Amino acid sequence: MKVCYFTHSLVSCWNHGNAHFLRGVLRALLAQGHDVHSFEPAEGWSRSNLIADQGGASLGAFAAAYPDLAPRAHSLGPDIDAALDVALDGADLVIVHEWNEASLVSAIGAIRRRGARFTLLFHDTHHRAVSDPDAIGRLGLDGYDGVLAFGATLADIYRRSGWGDRAFVWHEAADDTLFRPPAIAARRTGLVWIGNWGDGERSVELRDYLLRPVEVLGLPLDVHGVRYPREGLDAIAAVHGRFHGWIANADVPAAFARHRMTVHVPRRLYLERLPGIPTIRVFEALACGIPLACAPWTDSEGLFRPGLDYLLASDAAMMARNLRALDRDPALRASLAAHGLETIRARHTCAHRAAELLSIADRIGCAAQMEPA
């Protein structure tokens, strides 16, 4: 099967966590023998910011970790339709990520509407459907065969807006070709937080569930991420944390391996408007066998096993107690690591998601064949 994926970026994960999953699932499709092609804008926001922040050599981290993926850079212009006709020639399945220019999203939909024979899916991994629904409306999705939503609450929004059974839940997952426990156990110490400040969407939560417990317990803290304002950097420094800036996603397993624990702090909008959707770091942390402590969130879809796969706090005081227990109890750390890894390997790898994607595409294709001409 020829699969074409249009993403905002594969080469850059700078403030672009979706790249983690997309790299893994495309690699899984390649491993299953499919003809995989990926496309991204030549001057995409994430790529441009990565180069500005880290220099052009930083793109080498992607090439070294994923030599089997070779995304093609494109530039939108007056000849977009002709360029797309070439790119999509012979395609069986085409997927377009929501973080693309509206002109590209609608142009591909128009090609499908004119009778192209591929199955066309829109992949939504953001909160715009609730935070800026007009933006979704401007994308011109009427030519699409279905929607892939990264959580049930988001899929329900699409179903209620007219997509019905053409809106599918397609969770993110861990790329276990990279995210796995270290081959050689090393001395672990302290806590690592890997994530972005979040544009104010979780600044209070980061203070309550990360920085204050660290200060109270006197835990060593390492922080990796981008777009931290001065107030965020000052808050990290105030608890004697070390801020390291951007980290290539392929280097995250090694960072996990040096620490005793990590935490999951979801953005407030997901808690309030799209509950049940974890960040990609939950999947990746559990795949690496690092004990995980979570700020309040509701696993409404039963993706994991709270208490077995990770510790869940109902408030900041409980988060501090959980982190203290993880720091002092090697048996607890070992149990959480083993159970979390078990869940990932059973249900949440990119190979699982690749199989789910092909099943969804098959269902849509069969339904289309049954429709009256």
Side-chain angles (χ1 to χ4, degrees), residues 128-147:
R128 282 197 299 175
V130 293
S131 61
D132 189 10
D134 290 341
I136 298 296
R138 291 191 295 268
L139 291 176
L141 299 180
D142 53 307
Y144 284 66
D145 297 296
V147 170

Side-chain angles (χ1 to χ4, degrees), residues 85-101:
D85 284 340
V86 173
L88 299 174
D89 183 46
D92 300 293
L93 174 62
V94 179
I95 311 165
V96 182
H97 190 250
E98 58 86 20
W99 200 9
N100 273 294
E101 293 291 338

Side-chain angles (χ1 to χ4, degrees), residues 18-89:
N18 305 126
H20 310 182
F21 169 60
L22 299 181
R23 292 166 175 175
V25 80
L26 293 182
R27 169 173 274 180
L29 289 168
L30 281 170
Q32 294 175 17
H34 298 284
D35 182 18
V36 177
H37 301 259
S38 58
F39 306 86
E40 64 178 75
E43 298 180 355
W45 181 88
S46 179
R47 179 203 286 247
S48 298
N49 276 281
L50 175 60
I51 293 172
D53 185 19
Q54 299 288 320
S58 58
L59 297 176
F62 166 79
Y66 291 92
D68 46 345
L69 298 181
R72 303 181 200 175
H74 65 78
S75 297
L76 299 178
D79 60 345
I80 180 174
D81 289 336
L84 287 174
D85 284 340
V86 173
L88 299 174
D89 183 46

Side-chain angles (χ1 to χ4, degrees), residues 16-315:
H16 178 35
N18 305 126
H20 310 182
F21 169 60
L22 299 181
R23 292 166 175 175
V25 80
L26 293 182
R27 169 173 274 180
L29 289 168
L30 281 170
Q32 294 175 17
H34 298 284
D35 182 18
V36 177
H37 301 259
S38 58
F39 306 86
E40 64 178 75
E43 298 180 355
W45 181 88
S46 179
R47 179 203 286 247
S48 298
N49 276 281
L50 175 60
I51 293 172
D53 185 19
Q54 299 288 320
S58 58
L59 297 176
F62 166 79
Y66 291 92
D68 46 345
L69 298 181
R72 303 181 200 175
H74 65 78
S75 297
L76 299 178
D79 60 345
I80 180 174
D81 289 336
L84 287 174
D85 284 340
V86 173
L88 299 174
D89 183 46
D92 300 293
L93 174 62
V94 179
I95 311 165
V96 182
H97 190 250
E98 58 86 20
W99 200 9
N100 273 294
E101 293 291 338
S103 55
L104 177 67
V105 177
S106 60
I108 296 175
I111 292 173
R112 176 70 179 98
R113 232 176 13 252
R114 291 195 295 268
R117 299 188 63 82
F118 52 75
T119 297
L120 178 59
L121 301 175
F122 181 69
H123 186 196
D124 195 341
T125 59
H126 198 256
H127 56 59
R128 282 197 299 175
V130 293
S131 61
D132 189 10
D134 290 341
I136 298 296
R138 291 191 295 268
L139 291 176
L141 299 180
D142 53 307
Y144 284 66
D145 297 296
V147 170
L148 301 170
F150 76 145
T153 52
L154 183 59
D156 286 342
I157 290 170
Y158 278 97
R159 290 175 185 135
R160 291 195 299 269
S161 65
W163 287 86
D165 60 2
R166 295 185 299 133
F168 300 88
V169 178
W170 197 44
H171 291 290
E172 294 185 312
D175 177 6
D176 64 344
T177 65
L178 287 179
F179 285 83
R180 52 183 179 263
I184 301 175
R187 182 175 181 271
R188 295 175 181 247
T189 183
L191 186 155
V192 62
W193 157 255
I194 301 176
N196 304 325
W197 187 252
D199 299 319
E201 293 179 359
R202 60 180 168 201
S203 54
V204 172
E205 290 79 3
L206 285 173
R207 287 188 173 90
D208 288 346
Y209 294 97
L210 175 63
L211 300 179
R212 286 175 186 160
V214 161
E215 183 178 30
V216 169
L217 301 173
L219 289 174
L221 172 66
D222 290 285
V223 176
H224 300 264
V226 302
R227 301 187 77 191
Y228 278 71
R230 174 48 54 188
E231 63 171 303
L233 297 175
D234 290 344
I236 294 169
V239 301
H240 307 290
R242 296 177 293 268
F243 179 72
H244 303 277
W246 177 77
I247 182 172
N249 198 47
D251 294 334
V252 168
F256 282 155
R258 293 190 294 269
H259 294 83
R260 286 186 177 176
M261 68 198 86
T262 189
V263 299
H264 170 223
V265 183
R267 297 173 188 245
R268 192 176 315 120
L269 196 145
Y270 285 112
L271 288 174
E272 297 173 351
R273 306 287 297 278
L274 292 173
I277 300 177
T279 70
I280 186 68
R281 291 297 182 200
V282 173
F283 298 101
E284 293 177 341
L286 298 184
C288 285
I290 183 172
L292 175 67
C294 292
W297 76 290
T298 302
D299 184 9
S300 56
E301 298 181 59
L303 300 174
F304 308 103
R305 300 171 295 179
L308 281 178
D309 297 336
Y310 57 81
L311 298 183
L312 178 64
S314 58
D315 54 36

